Amino acid sequence: MPQDPVPCLLSNATALLEKQFGALPAFEPALESATDQSAMARVLEDVALRMGDNYPYFHPLYAGQMMKPPHPVARAAYALAMTINPNNHARDGGRASSEMEIEAVCGIAGIFGWTGFLGHLTSSGTLANLEALWVAGKLTPGKRILGSEQAHYTHQRISGVMKLDYASIAADSRGRMRMEALEAELRKGDVGTVVVTLGTTAMGAVDPLDQVLALRERYGFRVHVDGAYGGYFRLIPEALDEPARRAYAAADGADSIAIDPHKHGLQPYGCGCVLFRDPAVGRFYKHDSPYTYFTSNQLHLGEISLECSRAGAAAVALWATQQLLPLKPGGEFARGMARGRTAAMELDRRLRQNAARYFQPLAAGSPELDIVVWKMKAETPERASELARSVFDACAARDLHLALVELPLRWFEPAAGAEPEAHAANGAGLVTCLRSVLMKPEHEAWLDRIWEKLTAGCADVMGE
Ligand SMILES: *Cc1c(COP(=O)(O)O)cnc(C)c1O
């Protein structure tokens, strides 16, 4: 592992922070006496040993699920903030970190060109989506919420929690919401909100937001953009294909947006974000907290969020990261995103080039973001699924960590030797595919090694 810069970064900064409270009378912490130090060290050794039982998420050969290591400055800022452990519910609990949250959220809204918006951090993308759908439900009572069949599974579930009707719209063979299917539902006249996913979780598909917004003109409904995974790709339009570029360019026209700094934004877990274009929706959050809003007449973030306590440290980490790596097109952060995208395009190119041998890429086209999915070549879908699981294991044995995903069989060409009728008849079925999320900037430089291990893993499975 590379040398961790965090302990070194922390020692000066912690001293600087502590100095600001230096005028207070000294006290002995009741639960950390000197004799406890060695006990704490022993416990931490146990923690280190336990934590070794993990996939190596930080390493470029981990190319499976959506795991991007937090930036060292985020980890250091988070740990530094822990000296204070602020609560961003109210300024009474976190004055500095509330200001930092407001500034950091402004930086994120800036990706979408929004200024007069309402927004805050949440503990996750699920909570960000929940708040957006909660507001949508208040504004369009009794109306339905629609999302594509590839939308995140939590939309349906959180709609259920809020007793809002939710329905799924069919996706095309690249995982994007089908516009004819959407329009058929809109004609029924009872749709209040459409959830548009910019970057689906399974394969990074980008719903055609520009076309959904055109339909909004005709039918009138709210548009919530779920950019929990893919929101940050708005910073690199030049790296996207035309349909995705058009969808991202339209994102400023959404009514609300969810985006996860803990996915692509280099943050520790516990950092989602929700944005509303119209700040007037703040009225729905109105509540009386008899305990907390006393030390400032300025807005307390708890007055505009559903959660009460929230980690001020998450805001501090995000603020620090955006100071170091501003969210600007062409900046270092954007270039890091683009490198993962390049790695995904290169992996897809190699899969297609070598398709005759082992693989079946998606028939309809290349990845839209930095997630690649592909099927193993086999005469039956059962065998293809089995091969995918075996290759997953064989690659893991070679330290390459991929992921698996269930996709509709109809998205792939019939395999050579397969009966076309049988393929068509099985069209509603799912097949287990391999999936690789190439979201780390290092993935670009590591692609040769990833490819070498993938093909070696395939050779192991085929007994070659
Ligand atoms: C990850 C994800 C979510 C859920 O976000 P969490 O932060 O995991 O709660 C929602 N939508 C999409 C598209 C996602 O990729």
Side-chain angles (χ1 to χ4, degrees), residues 156-424:
Q156 178 141 26
R157 195 155 74 174
I158 61 191
S159 297
V161 169
M162 295 187 288
K163 305 230 179 337
L164 302 169
D165 279 334
Y166 180 93
S168 284
I169 303 295
D172 70 13
S173 53
R174 292 179 76 175
R176 302 180 290 211
M177 187 189 283
R178 295 176 72 120
M179 289 302 101
E180 333 78 73
L182 172 61
E183 193 161 7
E185 289 299 311
L186 292 172
R187 278 197 211 98
K188 297 179 183 168
D190 63 347
V191 175
T193 302
V194 176
V195 175
V196 176
T197 307
L198 296 185
T200 60
T201 316
M203 53 196 282
V206 178
D207 286 343
L209 175 59
D210 47 320
Q211 295 174 44
V212 176
L213 292 175
L215 289 170
R216 184 176 66 178
E217 297 293 304
R218 295 252 306 275
Y219 295 93
F221 49 86
R222 278 180 75 78
V223 171
H224 171 60
V225 164
D226 182 357
Y229 183 72
Y232 286 96
F233 279 91
R234 174 139 154 142
L235 291 170
I236 55 163
E238 67 288 348
L240 306 179
D241 293 335
E242 192 50 34
R245 195 179 314 154
R246 278 201 304 269
Y248 275 97
D252 51 336
D255 296 293
S256 53
I257 299 173
I259 177 169
D260 263 359
H262 71 201
K263 288 246 180 86
H264 250 302
L266 300 167
Q267 296 311 297
Y269 285 113
C271 195
C273 178
V274 63
L275 304 168
F276 296 95
R277 189 160 50 116
D278 176 9
V281 303
R283 68 187 182 276
F284 295 121
Y285 287 94
K286 199 169 161 30
H287 68 101
D288 292 315
S289 163
Y291 333 100
T292 47
Y293 305 138
F294 291 102
T295 59
S296 170
N297 293 325
Q298 286 178 287
L299 179 75
H300 300 269
L301 289 162
E303 295 177 282
I304 55 154
S305 77
L306 283 186
E307 294 172 86
C308 178
S309 296
R310 286 176 313 115
V316 174
L318 183 63
W319 185 90
T321 309
Q322 290 178 191
Q323 291 297 114
L324 188 72
L325 303 171
L327 300 173
K328 293 265 159 22
E332 195 180 336
F333 178 83
R335 286 201 302 277
M337 300 273 307
R339 283 159 74 186
R341 163 81 182 144
T342 304
M345 293 302 282
E346 178 58 19
L347 176 58
D348 179 69
R349 193 188 66 75
R350 293 184 190 200
L351 289 166
R352 286 174 196 280
Q353 202 171 47
N354 289 269
R357 204 149 158 225
Y358 302 126
F359 309 118
Q360 250 196 306
L362 274 186
S366 299
E368 293 194 277
L369 301 179
D370 54 6
I371 302 175
V372 189
V373 294
W374 68 97
K375 178 178 160 304
M376 289 305 293
K377 199 165 208 170
E379 287 186 13
T380 65
E382 293 74 24
R383 178 71 185 137
S385 296
E386 199 180 296
L387 280 177
R389 284 188 285 270
S390 302
V391 170
F392 172 88
D393 289 335
C395 290
R398 291 171 174 272
D399 288 328
L400 171 65
H401 300 283
L402 301 170
L404 294 165
V405 62
E406 305 268 306
L407 295 176
L409 183 63
R410 66 185 143 79
W411 290 0
F412 298 91
E413 303 275 4
E419 292 290 319
E421 295 77 24
H423 183 79

Side-chain angles (χ1 to χ4, degrees), residues 54-134:
N54 267 306
Y55 292 110
Y57 305 116
F58 53 86
H59 196 280
L61 284 176
Y62 185 86
Q65 308 285 355
M66 296 171 163
M67 307 289 282
K68 186 174 182 175
H71 194 283
V73 85
R75 281 195 289 129
Y78 199 106
L80 184 57
M82 279 294 101
T83 308
I84 305 288
N85 193 26
N87 181 343
N88 274 14
H89 168 66
R91 286 172 193 255
D92 307 46
R95 216 159 40 226
S97 52
S98 290
E99 276 306 316
M100 289 159 107
E101 173 166 343
I102 290 166
E103 289 172 34
V105 170
C106 269
I108 291 179
I111 299 176
F112 303 97
W114 285 3
T115 45
F117 65 96
L118 190 83
H120 58 272
L121 300 181
T122 57
S123 56
S124 69
T126 304
L127 261 291
N129 283 323
L130 180 143
E131 294 204 15
L133 296 188
W134 174 71

